[in-house]
């Protein structure tokens, strides 16, 4: 009994007043009723997890066996067959097994001489040619030679060794375009608005371009390795651009021996 009593303490000598905790009223939004009304107004019967009311199937219309099998159309009466497809197949039975008392038809004879007929067919038949094969392994595995690609069948085509039609048309178009271009150049030369560079002039222009490229390359080699300032970077980019343009011009003149220039 003494164990159940609280221990003595000076704090328990003076009785304390019980402090009642007052709970604050729960917050209720003033728009609660409005939201309920709007939700109820815009709610449709089928916009939830499913229809409001589902029709329960009748117990009399239960799923029967073979009810979902396809039914064939009856051509005689224009309707559907009452028996399903499996029943129709079962109805087409094989002929019955003969009984022990049944006897086969006897006495059927023929006057055909099978020995002579076989001999004549063998003599008149053409001998079968062996199928060409090739062996591709050391074990003697054989493969068909015709479908292997080793036989040059393309040489037997009718148009073998002839130029295709599309190449002939393309060559004609190229020749026609070259003739039109030559006529245009002759007309311009006759009018005096264009002239052709001679070999000496072409060589002089080519040598001059190469000389200019050599001078620019010499300047480019003299640039410091570290380009840490803006003028150095600008000079390096300018020299590279000019050298690339000279290389394009030199390549164009070397590839074309005939060059025309316009008179100004």
């Amino acid at each position: 009994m003494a164990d159940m009593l609280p221990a003595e303490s000076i704090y328990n000598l003076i009785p304390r007043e019980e402090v009642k905790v007052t709970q604050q009223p729960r917050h209720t939004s003033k728009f609660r009723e409005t939201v309920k009304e709007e939700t109820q107004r815009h709610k449709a019967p089928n916009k939830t997890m499913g229809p409001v009311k589902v029709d329960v199937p009748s117990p009399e219309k239960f799923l029967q066996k073979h009810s979902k099998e396809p039914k064939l159309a009856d051509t005689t009466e224009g309707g559907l067959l009452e028996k399903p497809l499996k029943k129709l197949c079962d109805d087409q039975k094989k002929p019955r097994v003969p009984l022990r008392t049944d006897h086969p038809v006897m006495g059927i004879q023929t006057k055909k001489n099978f020995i002579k007929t076989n001999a004549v067919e063998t003599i008149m038949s053409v001998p079968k040619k062996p199928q060409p094969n090739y062996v591709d392994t050391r074990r003697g595995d054989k493969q068909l030679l015709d479908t292997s690609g080793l036989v040059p069948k393309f040489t037997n085509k009718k148009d073998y060794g002839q130029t295709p039609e599309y190449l002939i048309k393309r060559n004609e178009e190229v020749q026609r375009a070259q003739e039109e271009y030559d006529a245009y150049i002759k007309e311009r030369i006759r009018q005096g608005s264009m002239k052709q560079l001679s070999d000496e002039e072409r060589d002089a222009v080519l040598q001059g371009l190469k000389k200019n490229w050599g001078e620019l390359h010499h300047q480019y080699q003299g640039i410091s390795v570290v380009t840490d300032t803006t003028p150095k970077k600008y000079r390096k980019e300018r020299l590279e651009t000019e050298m690339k343009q000279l290389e394009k011009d030199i390549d164009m003149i070397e590839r074309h021996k005939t060059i025309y220039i316009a008179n100004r």
Side-chain angles (χ1 to χ4, degrees), residues 102-163:
D102 295 343
H103 299 283
V105 181
M106 305 294 290
I108 300 176
Q109 297 180 358
T110 179
K111 297 181 179 180
K112 183 178 179 180
N113 190 352
F114 290 96
I115 298 176
K116 186 176 180 181
T117 304
N118 294 339
V120 172
E121 290 179 356
T122 305
I123 293 171
M124 299 300 294
S125 62
V126 180
K128 187 178 180 180
K129 295 182 179 179
Q131 198 170 12
N133 299 325
Y134 73 99
V135 180
D136 56 352
T137 60
R138 62 180 182 178
R139 297 180 180 179
D141 297 334
K142 295 181 180 181
Q143 305 293 339
L144 294 178
L145 185 61
D146 295 338
T147 58
S148 64
L150 301 175
V151 181
K153 293 184 178 180
F154 59 90
T155 57
N156 300 329
K157 294 183 178 180
K158 296 181 180 179
D159 55 350
Y160 175 73
Q162 299 179 3
T163 306

Side-chain angles (χ1 to χ4, degrees), residues 21 27 31 36 65 68 102 127 136 222:
V21 180
H27 172 73
F31 302 105
K36 281 185 177 182
K65 187 177 181 180
K68 293 188 177 182
D102 295 343
D136 56 352

Side-chain angles (χ1 to χ4, degrees), residues 95-249:
R96 65 179 181 83
V97 179
L99 301 176
R100 290 185 302 171
T101 57
D102 295 343
H103 299 283
V105 181
M106 305 294 290
I108 300 176
Q109 297 180 358
T110 179
K111 297 181 179 180
K112 183 178 179 180
N113 190 352
F114 290 96
I115 298 176
K116 186 176 180 181
T117 304
N118 294 339
V120 172
E121 290 179 356
T122 305
I123 293 171
M124 299 300 294
S125 62
V126 180
K128 187 178 180 180
K129 295 182 179 179
Q131 198 170 12
N133 299 325
Y134 73 99
V135 180
D136 56 352
T137 60
R138 62 180 182 178
R139 297 180 180 179
D141 297 334
K142 295 181 180 181
Q143 305 293 339
L144 294 178
L145 185 61
D146 295 338
T147 58
S148 64
L150 301 175
V151 181
K153 293 184 178 180
F154 59 90
T155 57
N156 300 329
K157 294 183 178 180
K158 296 181 180 179
D159 55 350
Y160 175 73
Q162 299 179 3
T163 306
E165 295 182 0
Y166 74 95
L167 287 180
I168 296 174
K169 294 181 180 179
R170 183 178 299 176
N171 294 336
E172 291 177 355
E173 292 176 358
V174 171
Q175 186 177 1
R176 192 182 309 109
Q178 185 66 31
E179 292 176 356
E180 293 177 357
Y181 177 74
D182 295 341
Y184 170 78
I185 293 298
K186 290 180 181 179
E187 182 65 22
R188 288 294 182 179
I189 293 175
R190 187 181 63 80
Q191 294 177 1
S193 60
M194 186 181 295
K195 71 174 183 178
Q196 180 181 353
L197 283 180
S198 60
D199 294 340
E200 293 79 7
E201 293 176 346
R202 177 177 172 277
D203 294 339
V205 172
L206 188 60
Q207 294 300 327
L209 291 174
K210 290 183 178 180
K211 182 179 179 181
N212 294 340
W213 185 88
E215 294 176 357
L216 291 176
H217 187 262
H218 180 70
Q219 296 179 14
Y220 187 80
Q221 293 293 331
I223 297 176
S224 60
V225 178
V226 181
T227 56
D228 52 352
T229 59
T230 304
K232 290 181 180 179
K233 293 180 181 179
Y234 174 75
R235 186 185 179 195
K236 181 180 179 182
E237 292 176 358
R238 179 179 59 82
L239 290 175
E240 289 177 350
T241 305
E242 293 179 359
M243 290 172 63
K244 287 181 180 179
Q245 185 61 37
L246 287 174
E247 288 175 359
K248 290 181 181 179
D249 297 340

